[in-house]
Amino acid sequence: MAKATKKKKEKKADFTKAKLKLGKGPLKSANATSTAFTARAINVSHQSLGSSAKEGEATTNKRRQTLADLLASLTHHNASTRKDALLGLQELFTLHPHLAQSSLGPVISATIRLGDDTDFQVRRALQSFYRFHLARIDRTYLSPYHSMLNLHLSSVLSNIFPEIRLDGIRLVDIMLEHTPDMITAGWAKDGRVAVASDAQNDGLAAAQGQRYVDAYLSLLQISASSSMTMGVSGSGMALSLSPASKLVVFKGLATFLDCALHPRTSRDEAAVKRIPSWYLARAFSSPRAFAAFERSLARAKVVPRSYDLLASQATAAAQDLFGIDAEILALTEAGIARQQSEPAQLIASLQPTLVSAYLDYAPTAFMQAPGPVAPLMAAEMIHALAKIARDLYRSALVRLTDPATFDAERDSKDVARLRSGLIEMLQRMSGHLPIPDEASRSAHDGSKIRQFCQDTNLAYCELVSLASLALPSEVATHKTSKAMNSLAVMQQSVRDYLLTALQEADILGGDTPKLTSDSLLAILPIIWTILDAPTTPEVDRQLIFRALLDRFARAKATTEESSYLFQFISMLCRTSLWPSYRGRFDVQSEELQPDLHKWLCTLPRFIFQLGPSRKNATECVAAFLRDIAATQDCRPFGRAAMAEMSASLHPLFNGQHPKRGAVPGVFVQATPQTQQHAFGAVNFILTDGLLNAEQSSILQSAVMTARDLVDEL
């Protein structure tokens, strides 16, 4: 029965009509074809269809990525891809250096946008790329992109995330290393503020330097004094920077001030760089006398102080072209210079922060006391703080105490305020500085700590000398007397440190780094301050001067150190030729005469060792000898010393070799100006009868032979 019913249902199934249900719509037939489809978007970054270039001829890196591929990958949503694109660009420019110059614009435009990337690995890769890329690019080719770089850097430094702003500081440090003028544009150059006309001509570039300063201050939670801020107020943010982050900010600010207040010179200019002489100004009776002394220091081009370089060029051009009276120009220039300088404003804002940070990290750096950071980081922090204080006080005080523009009624209060703040800071620092031997020893990274300690000592010594130069000539008040007594103690410690450093004794341990040429150049104003200080005993003055003479005798003639030492010693000797000199150091003292006699007799050998390659140094020595020979008594050396030195001059004109015969001297291959100085010195020597008949004949014959050789050349 069940089987029959089943068979009946199967027969009716083919003819059964399906019932429609409400809301379901008509049923599809069994043989209906589906027309549904799906699609996805494919991003093709680059297609080389139709390109006739072969794959082997394409300019790619090792991963076969072209420049266009890498630039397109910089906007990828994946952070790892963006980082790999930066590394790929670095690899591409290493394999194909010519691309770095030709693709400069697109590369800078695409990469600088990653400065505020949210991924820290991308930001670190960007810093590595710019450190590599800018080293291969001439800075003159970067000038069209300064506005774009400044715009994006300003955006990075005003980011709401502190870690991005700190990486922005690191990126600014790289720019300062390769193109400092772009970053420091518009900020004070040794105390000069940007006047309104400059801001109108240069637009936002005139205030760009101040924007970066405000960014440093905002990270340190210091309210910016300028109205043109970065858009982030330090007082409105609750920032708590770690010691490592503070170190980044302080080091960045120190680098900025170093580039802004001490503009770099080219390699060619550095070869003829002359020592500064501004610190001698107060030793002369009048600014006019000091100006005449500066012109006599060398017959070659004298480089003025860095903050007066552009002003002096503009003054000379105006006098030549328009015949403007020099006194009117001086009054106008003084009026501009007397504005409240930006370094002085920055000192007022930074002083409490600098003192607080110094007191926090000095015990760890100098006494190896337990602290929040390692001794090396603490020493690096103290070094950065000392550099900031030195550059700011040097810029502000040197400008305000310049005798040429100093006005007692107008500037005394500013000088007194700066002097008071500097002495207060030095009193806090004098508890640890100069750093003794035990404080510089460390079981870990000892050599690095000792280097930082030496640089910090030199910065402290310069601060002491600046405070001494800023003191009034007469001590009138009890408060000033206390400052004088405090400075006297500091000067004693600085005097002992400098004397030991010049003698290269064991001042900071056995493996202490020696004074470099740059360090020696930096301490020359300090040495003069100690020599001219009223509290310095005469015995100590003579010891320091003898140490300079001994160091010159040990230095190699072809080094910058010997050039700096000669210029400084000869400058001190020239002071004896000027009746307007009022300094306390007397180079003509009887105790120093034997040492001066010995030093003068070494100058012919010094010129011979310089050779034809150091023509500018040879010119300085020849000009000095001519000026000494032109004086009546050959001051400050005397006729006997001058005669002994003159007897050794003939090989410098024409020498006699046992096998080669006559050999042209150094002066034959020198510049025409040097030859003029040398021939002039010999003329004075022969005219005054310093040599006997035989010596005069030998020297005169050598000079005549040298003149004939010069005429032939």
Side-chain angles (χ1 to χ4, degrees), residues 202-222:
D202 297 337
L204 292 177
Q208 190 59 46
Q210 184 60 43
R211 293 171 179 268
Y212 288 107
V213 172
D214 292 344
Y216 291 116
L217 297 182
S218 67
L219 281 169
L220 295 173
Q221 294 182 277
I222 302 174

Side-chain angles (χ1 to χ4, degrees), residues 499 502-503 527-528 530-531 538-552 565 568-573 575 585-589 591-597 599 636-637:
L499 184 60
L502 288 173
Q503 296 173 347
I527 295 174
W528 166 253
I530 298 301
L531 290 175
E538 188 64 29
V539 176
D540 289 348
R541 291 193 179 100
Q542 296 172 7
L543 285 176
I544 292 177
F545 188 71
R546 289 192 182 101
L548 290 173
L549 297 178
D550 294 340
R551 192 176 182 91
F552 175 81
L565 286 171
F568 187 72
I569 295 171
S570 62
M571 182 173 64
L572 296 181
C573 293
T575 58
F585 175 69
D586 184 14
V587 75
Q588 298 186 91
S589 62
E591 292 81 2
L592 294 177
Q593 287 304 308
D595 303 282
L596 287 176
H597 187 143
W599 178 75
F637 305 98

